[in-house]
Amino acid sequence: MFFGLVKMISCKEATYLASKREDKSLSWRESLRLIVHYKLCAICAVFEKQSIFIGKQARKLEAHNQDAQLPNDVKVKVSTMISNEK
Amino acid sequence: MNNNTVTMNILQPDKWIENYGDMLFGFAKSRVASESVAEDIVQDTFLSAWKGKDGYRGDASEKSWLFTIARNKITDHYRKAAHNLEEHGISDYGTDFFSETGHWTKEALGMAWDTSASVRVETKEFYEILNSCKDNLKELQKAVFVMKYLDDMDSDEICKELNITPSNYWVLMHRAKLQLRTCLSKNWFNK
């Protein structure tokens, strides 16, 4: 009865809603569709969990690559270019 | 008015490479797909900075001024790549991981991870692997991923910055997540 009122969505739509939910809130209709979909589809439910996990861990990565070293030849090239422009 | 106490920021171009070369390279490298592109961006940044040095008014520090220039170069680079989105097949809405009926394709099916306490996740090794998985993402996938999670921008801002539609954004982000999931499965969880 209750499920009958909810439009069934595909995995494609479900993952779209899941990724939308990370950013913005869903309407109650959308939330309900997602809940019903997850009851029937473990694959999508696992994917959202993994997706949230990846995002959460990625936030802890440095936005800079700290160990990066600009290769010497580029350093020399830039120095030369700048001094030639003087 | 007593302005004597205000220290003006000044530029020291002779020390740019020494002081900021590696830093800017690290900044660019974590955002673009290849080291050679990152090198070009750093090179262009210094050149533009040198040419535009007379326009520097000293209201931002030398460092943040240079980073702003680098960021603009990176955005230009992204936009050029985003311009060819259709050629790269990004416009066809997820056809590589969903079938026509909207079900997962066999290739895109993942597996569950053991994230229980017995598998320690938040270790240095884990972040090294996550970082290298992230670095292996393709250009625009990496762009949306880094902007969202490392720069903490929301999807509207990202679409505006890259000049892409929300559905382009979703496809790129979805591909990034799928690829990261596969990479983490292979190199960490199911090693």
Side-chain angles (χ1 to χ4, degrees):
Chain A
M1 256 292 280
F2 174 68
F3 281 173
L5 297 171
V6 183
K7 185 185 155 239
M8 291 306 294
I9 52 172
S10 67
C11 296
K12 187 167 149 180
E13 290 166 292
T15 52
Y16 175 74
L17 290 181
S19 93
K20 188 176 162 195
R21 176 152 82 173
E22 257 198 84
D23 226 62
K24 300 171 177 133
S25 55
L26 298 180
S27 70
W28 67 269
R29 239 176 247 280
E30 289 173 324
S31 302
L32 195 57
R33 281 173 189 167
L34 206 49
I35 290 167
V36 172
H37 185 90
Y38 286 171
K39 290 266 177 236
L40 304 168
C41 176
I43 298 168
C44 287
V46 167
F47 179 74
E48 184 176 24
K49 267 195 198 147
Q50 292 173 331
S51 169
I52 290 169
F53 171 84
I54 290 170
K56 193 176 138 206
Q57 299 306 328
R59 288 182 197 278
K60 296 179 192 162
L61 291 176
E62 287 291 330
H64 292 221
N65 189 329
Q66 308 279 14
D67 307 323
Q69 283 194 319
L70 186 63
N72 249 329
D73 57 311
V74 183
K75 288 185 180 176
V76 173
K77 204 166 143 195
V78 174
S79 300
T80 324
M81 278 166 139
I82 287 181
S83 42
N84 285 345
E85 295 263 345
K86 271 182 189 172
Chain B
M1 286 290 280
N2 180 5
N3 285 332
N4 294 337
T5 50
V6 177
T7 34
M8 284 299 284
N9 290 303
I10 49 155
L11 298 181
Q12 294 178 288
D14 295 341
K15 294 195 173 150
W16 279 352
I17 294 171
E18 186 191 326
N19 289 344
Y20 308 110
D22 293 341
M23 228 186 270
L24 286 167
F25 182 59
F27 180 73
K29 197 174 156 235
S30 64
R31 286 172 170 72
V32 297
S34 75
E35 295 207 1
S36 69
V37 173
E39 288 169 14
D40 289 347
I41 282 167
V42 175
Q43 196 173 305
D44 287 354
T45 299
F46 284 130
L47 271 183
S48 295
W50 173 255
K51 284 180 184 153
K53 67 187 188 313
D54 295 337
Y56 177 75
R57 293 195 311 277
D59 40 7
S61 71
E62 178 180 52
K63 183 179 163 187
S64 63
W65 184 68
L66 287 168
F67 270 85
T68 305
I69 298 172
R71 193 167 238 306
N72 290 336
K73 299 279 174 204
I74 293 168
T75 305
D76 287 347
H77 174 75
Y78 286 157
R79 287 199 174 161
K80 265 182 217 147
H83 199 67
N84 299 321
L85 266 185
E86 264 108 54
E87 285 166 33
H88 294 131
I90 302 289
S91 58
D92 45 350
Y93 201 70
T95 44
D96 50 352
F97 30 81
F98 293 112
S99 71
E100 274 175 28
T101 51
H103 289 290
W104 291 87
T105 56
K106 223 200 289 173
E107 297 73 45
L109 277 179
M111 41 182 117
W113 291 339
D114 182 5
T115 45
S116 62
S118 60
V119 182
R120 290 277 316 267
V121 167
E122 303 194 13
T123 59
K124 192 168 167 268
E125 291 75 24
F126 172 77
Y127 290 111
E128 276 167 12
I129 286 172
L130 179 58
N131 208 30
S132 72
C133 288
K134 184 214 81 188
D135 280 337
N136 286 329
L137 291 174
K138 283 190 200 141
E139 193 81 283
L140 287 168
Q141 293 171 17
K142 190 168 173 178
V144 293
F145 189 80
V146 169
M147 288 167 127
K148 168 82 183 154
Y149 295 106
L150 281 79
D151 295 339
D152 210 19
M153 293 167 72
D154 71 29
S155 62
D156 294 339
E157 291 173 301
I158 298 170
C159 288
K160 209 173 140 202
E161 181 96 0
L162 298 181
N163 221 351
I164 57 174
T165 66
S167 102
N168 291 154
Y169 170 84
W170 176 74
V171 174
L172 288 166
M173 186 58 98
H174 194 73
R175 283 191 186 167
K177 293 269 183 73
L178 280 174
Q179 201 178 316
L180 287 170
R181 178 176 73 165
T182 309
C183 185
L184 288 176
S185 291
K186 215 182 277 173
N187 298 297
W188 184 261
F189 290 104
N190 305 310
K191 214 173 142 186

